[in-house]
Amino acid sequence: MGDVAPSRRAFLAGVGGLAAGTAAASLTGCETRNERSSAESSRVLVVRNFGGSYGEANRKAVYDPFSRETGIRIRVVDFGHEQMLAQIKEGRPRFDVMDIDMSNLVLFEHEGASEPLDYGRLKNTRNAGIAQSLLTPNGVGKSYWASVLAYRTDTFGGRRPESWADFWSLRRFPGSRALQGEVDFPELEFALLADGVPLDRIYPLDVDRAFKVMDEIRGSVRTFWEYGAEPGELLSRGSAVASSTWAGRLQSLLGRGVPLAYEWNGARRQSNGFGIPRGSANPDAAYRLIDFALRPEVQAHMARLYPDGPVVPAAYGYLTESTAVHLASTPGHLLSGFDLDIDWWLENRDAVTRRWQTWART
């Protein structure tokens, strides 16, 4: 989910790196790679993830079962991306495996900051049906999340928006809108879908066309949200009647009977993944953990605790329909949505983001 994946802008600018590093230092002290004995390295694996409910779900579904099976204890840290890069470039990464957004794994690969993966050591990737886009040279996908359309069900006289074209239709579905702010890549794809571009023709993005379509609803976009819970808050109090949101973030509100719903048509999928930093003190245990986390039953256990979709299709054999319907990688949702093109965005991000910032301020 989006709040799981750190902001790419924060990664590039180093925003929050020192604060995250300070928090992480309390867990790791002054430990460096050279200060960790080989005996300790064989018993303790240091994993970087972004904590919170996501970290707790990993603890229950992945880390604790892995430790019981292998005897290897997991220690979790939450370094910011800029600090991670600095440690790696100094040759002293204080973490052995990283759980981060796939787009940032590609950035780490470009920086020469991660190890090429030996897929021969990841037996649970073999013939597992994992999408090729998630089997990259230096990173392997572990879960899907998605940005989707959310709306109030008590606002449109019984009608329900079923597409981004409906989101753009201020006549049929009047009211205030909200779109994602600078926490992630601008949502230009949704504008193109609203204008009739087929799912398989979205990329390369026609940026001029997208902004022309964005202009059509600019006056009704009252808020650009910046954190995962914000769309639900806006919709709950009626500050917006429709918004983009990270799938799964409305579940607690739905459980309390708030009249909200998702629409998966046109969902923009992204993925989190595993990578091994260059200079990891414990690559053997890192491979063991990554392979363990890709077992279908482990993927399913994680999905029950946190609403990200498994990358291994066989995991759905362990999930109930009531759980699967909320996940980004169910077969139906895979067909009705699309994968964000990481390479296109990394090549064009700076120019497009500057243009989007100007548009959002007008």
Side-chain angles (χ1 to χ4, degrees):
M1 304 166 68
D3 58 336
V4 171
S7 165
R8 287 90 178 159
R9 196 161 296 104
F11 164 73
L12 292 172
V15 174
L18 291 177
T22 300
S26 67
L27 297 175
T28 60
C30 298
E31 176 190 80
T32 69
R33 181 189 176 209
N34 292 334
E35 291 166 347
R36 290 174 61 194
S37 68
S38 58
E40 182 188 18
S41 292
S42 66
R43 292 184 290 104
V44 179
L45 181 69
V46 182
V47 179
R48 187 274 175 194
N49 74 34
F50 14 89
S53 58
Y54 177 80
E56 181 60 22
N58 271 285
R59 172 69 63 191
K60 293 177 180 178
V62 184
Y63 304 154
D64 288 349
F66 174 79
S67 294
R68 288 194 294 270
E69 179 174 301
T70 66
I72 299 171
R73 184 165 59 89
I74 302 295
R75 180 185 303 164
V76 178
V77 296
D78 185 12
F79 292 116
H81 288 68
E82 192 70 16
Q83 192 169 18
M84 293 167 68
L85 273 177
Q87 291 179 16
I88 293 168
K89 290 181 177 181
E90 291 170 359
R92 300 183 301 172
R94 296 197 289 277
F95 53 98
D96 301 309
V97 61
M98 46 194 173
D99 177 342
I100 57 177
D101 185 272
M102 286 296 291
S103 63
N104 284 325
L105 283 172
V106 173
L107 286 170
F108 270 68
E109 179 183 341
H110 292 173
E111 291 281 343
S114 56
E115 297 283 357
L117 292 179
D118 178 359
Y119 279 94
R121 302 177 70 176
L122 297 173
K123 62 182 177 60
N124 287 310
T125 64
R126 299 173 200 161
N127 302 313
I130 300 173
Q132 283 299 123
S133 61
L134 301 184
L135 301 172
T136 70
N138 291 43
V140 57
K142 68 184 292 285
S143 61
Y144 283 105
W145 56 277
S147 298
V148 298
L149 191 166
Y151 58 92
R152 290 193 64 95
T153 59
D154 60 353
T155 302
F156 306 120
R159 298 189 305 274
R160 297 195 172 202
E162 297 178 346
S163 67
W164 290 107
D166 287 342
F167 183 93
W168 252 257
S169 179
L170 298 174
R171 180 182 60 81
R172 294 189 65 233
F173 299 95
S176 297
R177 272 38 174 181
L179 287 171
Q180 183 176 266
E182 296 189 37
V183 68
D184 198 6
F185 299 114
E187 296 173 328
L188 301 188
E189 295 93 339
F190 299 153
L192 293 174
L193 290 175
D195 203 38
V197 176
L199 287 171
D200 60 353
R201 300 290 182 84
I202 294 176
Y203 299 102
L205 295 185
D206 185 334
V207 176
D208 290 339
R209 180 177 177 180
F211 275 103
K212 184 177 179 180
V213 179
M214 297 278 280
D215 286 341
E216 297 174 7
I217 63 167
R218 180 63 188 89
S220 294
V221 179
R222 305 297 172 82
T223 304
F224 295 99
W225 54 270
E226 296 292 352
Y227 57 92
E230 191 173 6
E233 296 168 1
L234 294 168
L235 291 165
S236 293
R237 63 175 180 257
S239 299
V241 297
S243 176
S244 61
T245 188
W246 292 326
R249 290 311 303 258
L250 304 186
Q251 291 308 116
S252 62
L253 296 172
L254 293 172
R256 298 203 299 269
V258 180
L260 306 177
Y262 292 118
E263 173 53 57
W264 283 91
N265 185 21
R268 184 174 78 171
R269 284 187 301 273
Q270 298 188 61
S271 301
N272 297 327
F274 285 120
I276 299 175
R278 191 182 70 230
S280 168
N282 199 356
D284 290 340
Y287 273 105
R288 293 181 70 181
L289 176 69
I290 295 170
D291 202 41
F292 181 89
L294 294 175
R295 292 179 183 176
E297 64 275 19
V298 176
Q299 289 255 295
H301 191 182
M302 181 66 185
R304 291 188 204 100
L305 298 175
Y306 194 87
D308 278 1
V311 300
V312 178
Y316 280 96
Y318 296 86
L319 294 172
T320 64
E321 184 177 350
S322 60
T323 296
V325 72
H326 299 296
L327 303 177
S329 55
T330 61
H333 296 161
L334 287 175
L335 291 173
S336 63
F338 64 94
D339 293 316
L340 179 139
D341 188 322
I342 292 173
D343 292 333
W344 189 93
W345 270 111
L346 292 184
E347 181 178 351
N348 296 279
R349 175 200 55 238
D350 291 342
V352 172
T353 298
R354 285 194 298 269
R355 183 171 176 179
W356 181 88
Q357 289 170 334
T358 299
W359 177 85
R361 295 189 187 106
T362 58

